């Protein structure tokens, strides 16, 4: 059977949770207060990070224009017994950096220097090849629909001396364009770095300096920087990074594509950025975006399927429990983070950890548990299966490749190991490999509408995309 495409509609991740409290939806809403957060997180997080081999973590919750809760857990430096301080400890934020890049893009759109729907080549001093008739636009870059292949090239540098200038880096190698722009969601670090370089070009400021001057400084983010390595005196507050808390700290991770992943920041500083976006661009007397611009960024800008959350301009929609949620996560080899904005509840959650650990993804784990504790919703009744369930299940059975894939580089070999398989079960449900429920078991899905499945014990949807009578792709949460 031919290999079809498996598209990721959102960044929600399947987790094996060790805590029953974290895994199960709450039966009733808890009051979102500083006291309840403290009691709940103190009962959960120390156990989770110890079990997961994580040295330290920072957690911040904002609500209604103020910081409701912020706390550090564990250590920023194990050997020195330096605890995580949410006010000052800097974490490497990886792809959360993109939210600052997209904010910078929209600032330039406001000034009339950029047009979201113009060919990006109009802003560059080199050319993106004309692989497809339609050019790539900034809107495509912000919704990850540019069509660039996945690549690990130019991701990390061994040290600062090996870091070329941003423009030189992007010109040295352009990833192959494997999809027509605007059609397929395929996450691209190169695309985000390209957007940051465009900001640099039209503003005539180095990207790192631009963000510092126009976002970090207006928001009072004094413990945040895109500079690599982190300059003094911030370097003394930078958390060490660990493979496992029991091991030795690892060298600083130099991210070559700075706009895609170079930011370091404390939890308290990220809180300021969250509050600015929750207040549609304003914080503490400063404004980084016009209200209409922030609202545009948060709104659905591209949706692969009407049954599934899509993307805003740079933010992923993780709408859940009846609430509108925009978010982004970030992962280096050592650090993992997540930023979640519950827009209609004017609430934000930020979680960061400084260790790869033993398969512990604390940001995604806590986001799911946070929503079920403070914004619970009953699970809708599962409709009866369609009469076509067995035939349609057989039609989608087979192997699928991730839409975030390589096209011309050595990562093609790695793609083989990232294939997902759909299997038809005896009861006419289907199972998708790599999609596990809270107990770690592979999810089963029932067809509830033509070419649409819902998991048996949850609310995740799985949709098949049909073209000329043939299944060409599946779209779901991963």
């Amino acid at each position: 059977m031919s290999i079809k495409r498996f598209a990721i509609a959102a960044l929600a991740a399947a987790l094996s949770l060790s805590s029953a409290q974290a895994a199960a939806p709450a039966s009733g809403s808890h009051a979102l207060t500083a006291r309840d957060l403290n009691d709940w997180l103190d009962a959960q997080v120390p156990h989770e990070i110890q079990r997961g081999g994580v040295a330290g973590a920072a957690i911040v919750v904002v609500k209604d224009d103020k910081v409701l809760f912020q706390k550090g857990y564990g250590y920023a430096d194990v050997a020195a017994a330096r605890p995580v301080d949410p006010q000052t400890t800097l974490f490497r934020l990886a792809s959360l950096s993109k939210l600052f890049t997209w904010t910078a893009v929209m600032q330039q759109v406001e000034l009339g220097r950029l047009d979201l729907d113009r060919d990006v080549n109009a802003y560059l001093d080199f050319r993106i090849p004309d692989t497809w008739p339609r050019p790539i636009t900034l809107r495509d870059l912000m919704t990850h629909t540019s069509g660039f292949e996945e690549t690990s090239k130019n991701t990390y540098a061994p040290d600062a001396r090996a870091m070329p200038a941003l423009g030189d880096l992007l010109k040295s190698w352009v990833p192959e364009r494997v999809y027509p722009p605007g059609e397929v969601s395929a996450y691209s670090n190169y695309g985000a770095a390209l957007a940051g370089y465009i900001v640099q070009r039209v503003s005539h400021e180095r990207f790192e300096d631009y963000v510092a001057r126009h976002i970090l400084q207006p928001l009072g983010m004094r413990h945040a920087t895109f500079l690599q390595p982190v300059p003094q005196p911030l370097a003394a507050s930078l958390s060490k990074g660990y493979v496992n808390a029991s091991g030795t700290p690892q060298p600083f991770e130099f991210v070559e594509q700075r706009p895609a992943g170079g930011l370091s920041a404390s939890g308290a500083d990220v809180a300021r950025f969250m509050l600015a976006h929750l207040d549609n661009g304003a914080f503490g007397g400063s404004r980084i975006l016009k209200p209409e611009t922030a609202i545009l960024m948060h709104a659905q800008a591209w949706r692969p399927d009407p049954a599934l959350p899509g993307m805003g301009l740079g933010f992923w929609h993780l709408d859940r429990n009846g609430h509108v949620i925009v978010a982004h996560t970030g992962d280096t080899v050592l650090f993992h983070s997540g930023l979640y904005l519950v827009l209609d509840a004017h609430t934000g959650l930020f979680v960061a950890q400084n260790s790869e650990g033993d398969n512990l993804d604390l940001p995604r784990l806590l986001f799911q548990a946070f929503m079920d504790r403070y914004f619970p919703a009953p699970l809708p009744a599962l409709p009866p299966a369609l009469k076509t369930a067995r035939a349609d299940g057989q039609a989608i059975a087979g192997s699928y490749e991730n839409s975030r894939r390589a096209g011309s580089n050595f990562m093609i070999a790695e793609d083989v190991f990232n294939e997902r398989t759909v299997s038809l079960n005896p009861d006419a449900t289907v199972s998708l490999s790599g999609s596990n429920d809270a107990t770690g078991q592979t999810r089963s899905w029932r067809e509830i509408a033509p070419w649409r499945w819902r998991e048996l014990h949850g609310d995740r949807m799985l949709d098949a995309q049909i073209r000329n009578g043939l299944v060409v792709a599946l779209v779901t949460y991963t």
Side-chain angles (χ1 to χ4, degrees):
M1 183 176 292
S2 61
I3 297 178
K4 297 176 282 291
R5 190 174 69 246
F6 176 79
I8 297 174
L11 293 181
L15 299 173
S16 297
L17 308 187
S18 67
S19 167
Q21 284 182 274
S27 58
S29 177
H30 290 253
L32 181 54
T33 65
R35 180 172 181 176
D36 192 81
L37 281 163
N38 187 77
D39 291 347
W40 173 56
L41 292 170
D42 277 5
Q44 295 291 316
V45 177
H47 167 74
E48 289 293 344
I49 64 174
Q50 182 178 23
R51 177 192 65 84
V54 169
I59 302 171
V60 178
V61 176
V62 299
K63 171 72 173 170
D64 295 332
D65 301 319
K66 66 180 181 181
V67 176
L68 185 62
F69 174 88
Q70 59 181 13
K71 195 165 188 177
Y73 294 90
Y75 295 104
D77 184 332
V78 175
R82 174 164 60 94
V84 171
D85 183 338
Q87 287 279 0
T88 60
T89 300
L90 278 73
F91 286 76
R92 304 288 283 130
L93 298 190
S95 286
L96 281 192
S97 309
K98 293 179 175 69
L99 294 181
F100 291 77
T101 300
W102 305 133
T103 299
V105 167
M106 296 307 291
Q107 288 178 333
Q108 294 302 304
V109 169
E110 288 183 347
L111 293 171
R113 295 171 179 166
L114 294 178
D115 184 331
L116 291 177
D117 298 308
R118 191 178 182 187
D119 184 346
V120 295
N121 282 312
Y123 305 114
L124 297 172
D125 54 352
F126 67 104
R127 188 163 188 83
I128 304 299
D130 299 321
T131 307
W132 305 92
R134 177 169 149 352
I136 294 172
T137 67
L138 280 164
R139 190 182 301 274
D140 297 326
L141 298 182
M142 296 183 78
T143 57
H144 291 283
T145 57
S146 61
F148 286 123
E149 68 176 332
E150 171 69 324
T151 175
S152 62
K153 188 178 179 70
N154 297 342
T155 300
Y156 294 107
D159 53 50
R161 292 171 297 179
M163 294 261 286
L166 180 58
D168 293 341
L169 178 77
L170 296 173
K171 296 171 194 175
S172 67
W173 184 71
V174 179
E176 184 175 307
R177 297 176 59 189
V178 295
Y179 303 116
E183 292 189 10
V184 176
S185 176
Y187 192 82
S188 174
N189 285 313
Y190 184 90
L194 192 68
Y197 182 56
I198 288 172
V199 169
Q200 178 173 296
R201 293 264 303 156
V202 300
S203 69
H204 306 291
E205 296 181 66
R206 186 176 63 153
F207 174 79
E208 294 91 332
D209 298 333
Y210 177 92
V211 173
R213 181 180 174 188
H214 298 281
I215 301 177
L216 305 184
Q217 291 174 13
L219 296 181
M221 297 178 64
R222 297 184 178 87
H223 291 88
T225 181
F226 264 92
L227 295 176
Q228 301 177 89
V230 171
Q232 294 293 344
L234 293 180
S237 298
L238 179 68
S239 174
K240 304 286 187 184
Y242 299 85
V243 175
N244 192 286
S246 62
T248 57
Q250 300 300 299
F252 183 88
E253 295 171 289
F254 288 89
V255 178
E256 292 194 72
Q257 298 178 55
R258 294 82 150 160
L263 181 65
S264 303
S266 72
D269 275 22
V270 174
R272 293 169 174 261
F273 183 75
M274 289 196 294
L275 287 168
H277 268 279
L278 286 169
D279 201 19
N280 291 328
F283 172 77
S286 295
R287 179 167 288 282
I288 59 171
L289 291 172
K290 296 177 181 178
E292 59 268 28
T293 305
I295 291 169
L296 180 64
M297 287 187 72
H298 303 155
Q300 296 267 4
W302 186 85
R303 201 165 188 165
D305 189 284
L308 299 169
M311 279 211 71
L313 291 175
F315 285 90
W316 294 87
H317 267 264
L318 297 183
D319 302 345
R320 179 179 177 146
N321 293 7
H323 291 275
V324 180
I325 304 166
V326 295
H328 212 293
T329 56
D331 303 280
T332 67
V333 174
L334 306 174
F335 288 82
H336 306 281
S337 56
L339 182 157
Y340 310 90
L341 303 179
V342 189
L343 295 178
D344 54 303
H346 213 261
T347 298
L349 169 69
F350 169 74
V351 184
Q353 66 186 70
N354 62 7
S355 314
E356 173 64 17
D358 301 323
N359 198 33
L360 174 63
D361 193 336
L362 192 64
R364 293 171 178 87
L365 184 156
L366 285 182
F367 163 65
Q368 294 182 28
F370 179 86
M371 290 302 300
D372 288 337
R373 183 176 183 86
Y374 297 111
F375 303 98
L379 190 65
L382 187 66
L386 297 189
K387 294 180 180 180
T388 57
R390 185 170 299 279
D392 290 349
Q394 185 61 54
I396 69 169
S399 297
Y400 293 77
E401 63 183 11
N402 200 310
S403 62
R404 185 181 180 183
R405 66 176 180 84
S408 65
N409 59 78
F410 76 93
M411 288 188 72
I412 291 175
E414 185 177 313
D415 288 342
V416 174
F417 299 100
N418 291 328
E419 289 179 6
R420 309 287 284 275
T421 300
V422 173
S423 303
L424 177 64
N425 301 319
D427 62 356
T429 62
V430 297
S431 296
L432 173 64
S433 66
S435 182
N436 299 331
D437 63 19
T439 67
Q441 300 300 307
T442 301
R443 288 187 174 89
S444 294
W445 314 67
R446 176 188 293 175
E447 188 177 29
I448 60 169
W451 304 111
R452 178 169 297 161
W453 287 257
R454 203 187 94 185
E455 64 172 312
L456 292 183
H457 306 292
D459 59 358
R460 282 176 170 80
M461 306 296 287
L462 174 72
D463 271 31
Q465 296 185 342
I466 311 300
R467 188 175 302 156
N468 298 324
L470 299 175
V471 178
V472 296
L474 293 181
V475 186
T476 186
Y477 294 97
T478 185

